[in-house]
Amino acid sequence: MLHEPTSLPTIRPAGCPFAPPTGLAQLREERPLVRMRYPDGHQGWLATSYALVRTVLADSRFSSRYELMHYPVPGVGELPPAPAGDMTGMDAPEHTRYRRLLAGKFTAHRMKLLTERVEQITTEHLDAMERQNKKVDLFEAFAHPVPAHIICELLGVPYADRDTFHRHTVTLMSLEATREQQIDAMAGLQEYMAHLVTAKQTEPTDDLLSDLTTSGLTSEELTGIGALLLSGGLDTTANMIAYGAFALLQHPHQLAAFRSDPDLADQAIEELMRFLSIAHTSVRVALEDIELDGQTVRAGECVTLSIQAANRDPDKFPDPDFLDLYRKATGHLGFGHGIHQCLGQQLARVEMRVALPALFKRFPKLRLAIPAEKVPLRTDMNIYGVHRLPVTWAEV
Ligand code: HEM
């Protein structure tokens, strides 16, 4: 007999670094929309099937506004409304205004133009890795700096300041940070960005932030947008590169296919996005009473959406627990869906598409330097992945 969960399942089975938390599959099979008690006492819902998660993400009667939200993890508590420019916490029409302004800057075409620069930065980091003693933490040496460099260049953020903003973004993504720590980190990031915006307004340079200063946005809006893009574009892609490399190393047949068939890379990236689902959870709140799966979600109730359960739904993806790079994984929800679907997805694709094949080409003998079960997984973060990935390419 399946009990209603009193908390979001988060414990993953030991020894299975790519498996979603235990209990999600059973819920999806038996009761894909189930009542769930939130850490602050809120009585809301948990949705686990692909169809339901996608439906909620596409339904404008569900809101993303931070101030209406209850979160499925302890510590967050009540949040203030989204600051100007932070469109993730807004609904239409406020969200639409920002999204329209930014969408044109992140098109697939524009991002493809960055390919050459991504290749250069990738090569520089692979060269630096090669100079080390055949053993590195792949996250620190490669997976994080490559997208960090790119997002900094694109926005016009000095890469040298990375320690400051990285500290804040790590806190913002931590499931263990208290509400005060989250608010402080948000304020720290905003403060850093506000200074940068003032600098770009006075002395524009050739980058996106300077470009946006002529779009009729206020300084507060520019600050919010800058903070959002910087935090959204850093840890996400970094974790997909590191966790993706880990997944490939643990699936040697798939890795062999990835290496030998360059035409496979695009669809392989989509399958890795589906299989790994690093942005594992989203939340929406009902603005009115809504019938969903034969039940009524009342106005004010939150629905936690398990992206990882949805992306492993056998009704959508046959044999879902199998990493199959030849699968057509299009339609996965790894970048979300609906009006908030990831703005930076084309940039992320270019980065992953360049970085992962180049890594395995440069180091044909790449392997883990520690047992797989010792790799520290990001169980404490709202973007999943690895904290570190020690690898080696030394002769055995
Ligand atoms: C593999 C890497 C990435 C993953 C897995 C990812 C995942 C996501 C997901 C799931 C959402 C939707 C959140 C929701 O609906 O609640 C989202 C939104 C967003 N992402 Fe990404 N993202 C990635 C890379 C990036 C990059 C590189 C950028 C920066 C350029 C970025 C910027 C954004 C922004 C601004 C939003 C909010 C869009 C909106 O509210 O309209 N992301 N991302």
Side-chain angles (χ1 to χ4, degrees):
M1 170 66 193
L2 188 71
H3 294 288
E4 291 186 347
T6 50
S7 61
L8 177 68
T10 54
I11 311 287
R12 301 188 184 229
C16 308
F18 310 108
T22 310
L24 283 176
Q26 195 191 354
L27 280 169
R28 185 184 56 223
E29 201 173 301
E30 297 178 14
R31 293 170 67 194
L33 181 67
V34 68
R35 296 238 59 153
M36 186 176 85
R37 199 176 160 76
Y38 286 51
D40 64 0
H42 175 69
Q43 194 68 25
W45 301 84
L46 170 64
T48 44
S49 72
Y50 179 87
L52 280 172
V53 169
R54 195 168 185 277
T55 298
V56 172
L57 287 172
D59 189 335
S60 59
R61 295 171 301 167
F62 284 100
S63 169
S64 290
R65 283 163 56 192
Y66 296 154
E67 72 276 24
L68 304 179
M69 217 59 99
H70 298 270
Y71 290 92
V73 289
V76 186
E78 275 175 42
L79 285 184
D86 181 357
M87 61 183 169
T88 34
M90 295 175 187
D91 300 334
E94 292 79 15
H95 170 268
T96 326
R97 199 178 129 245
Y98 294 119
R99 182 81 193 202
R100 283 220 182 104
L101 192 72
L102 289 170
K105 318 269 185 211
F106 285 90
T107 58
H109 176 67
R110 275 204 173 207
M111 295 303 113
K112 279 238 160 73
L113 297 177
L114 293 178
T115 305
E116 213 175 296
R117 186 65 190 129
V118 177
E119 284 168 354
Q120 281 168 358
I121 290 177
T122 299
T123 304
E124 279 165 28
H125 284 93
L126 291 174
D127 290 348
M129 258 174 79
E130 224 172 0
R131 288 193 291 272
Q132 297 192 37
N133 203 12
K134 298 199 169 178
K135 189 177 166 191
V136 295
D137 168 10
L138 191 74
F139 188 88
E140 199 193 348
F142 182 69
H144 193 265
V146 171
H149 244 119
I150 297 291
I151 194 71
C152 283
E153 280 193 14
L154 184 72
L155 287 178
V157 172
Y159 185 63
D161 293 349
R162 62 189 178 280
D163 286 349
T164 311
F165 55 74
H166 190 227
R167 185 162 37 86
H168 297 314
T169 53
V170 165
T171 307
L172 286 173
M173 295 200 180
S174 167
L175 297 173
E176 289 170 359
T178 61
R179 179 170 176 273
E180 286 66 34
Q181 287 169 329
Q182 297 262 353
I183 290 175
D184 281 356
M186 179 60 90
L189 193 58
Q190 296 266 335
E191 195 187 328
Y192 171 78
M193 207 35 89
H195 282 116
L196 200 61
V197 164
T198 311
K200 303 281 175 194
Q201 283 165 329
T202 359
E203 233 174 286
T205 31
D206 183 16
D207 48 57
L208 184 59
L209 266 185
S210 301
D211 187 16
L212 287 173
T213 57
T214 57
S215 319
L217 294 162
T218 64
S219 301
E220 290 70 33
E221 288 177 315
L222 288 166
T223 300
I225 290 175
L228 172 65
L229 293 176
L230 188 57
S231 55
L234 263 180
D235 253 25
T236 44
T237 320
N239 274 288
M240 265 310 294
I241 294 173
Y243 196 36
F246 183 23
L248 288 169
L249 288 171
Q250 293 305 103
H251 294 81
H253 293 298
Q254 300 292 324
L255 178 57
F258 186 71
R259 273 198 169 117
S260 63
D261 182 356
D263 293 339
L264 191 59
D266 285 332
Q267 87 183 56
I269 297 299
E270 299 309 311
E271 170 65 349
L272 284 168
M273 283 290 302
R274 178 199 74 81
F275 185 69
L276 300 175
S277 295
I278 58 164
H280 48 82
T281 312
S282 276
V283 190
R284 295 291 187 269
V285 52
L287 293 172
E288 56 186 83
D289 291 358
I290 298 167
E291 292 303 306
L292 194 64
D293 201 38
Q295 306 183 74
T296 307
V297 176
R298 299 269 172 221
E301 287 180 348
C302 286
V303 185
T304 291
L305 307 167
S306 175
I307 307 285
Q308 51 192 344
N311 276 341
R312 299 280 185 115
D313 186 338
D315 286 347
K316 173 68 182 170
F317 302 106
D319 229 344
D321 295 326
F322 184 57
L323 175 71
D324 174 10
L325 301 187
Y326 285 95
R327 180 200 302 273
K328 299 253 179 310
T330 14
H332 69 74
L333 303 174
F335 286 117
H337 177 68
I339 65 164
H340 292 283
Q341 194 184 45
C342 182
L343 177 80
Q345 60 185 288
Q346 302 302 353
L347 174 59
R349 285 191 171 103
V350 169
E351 292 172 338
M352 294 185 276
R353 175 72 185 76
V354 169
L356 279 169
L359 170 71
F360 287 109
K361 188 162 178 221
R362 179 72 71 97
F363 298 106
K365 295 202 162 69
L366 195 77
R367 60 183 190 282
L368 291 182
I370 58 173
E373 58 278 12
K374 294 259 164 67
V375 172
L377 298 165
R378 290 177 41 122
T379 45
D380 52 343
M381 307 299 272
N382 67 12
I383 294 293
Y384 202 66
V386 295
H387 283 296
R388 290 184 302 113
L389 192 70
V391 292
T392 176
W393 53 98
E395 299 295 332
V396 196

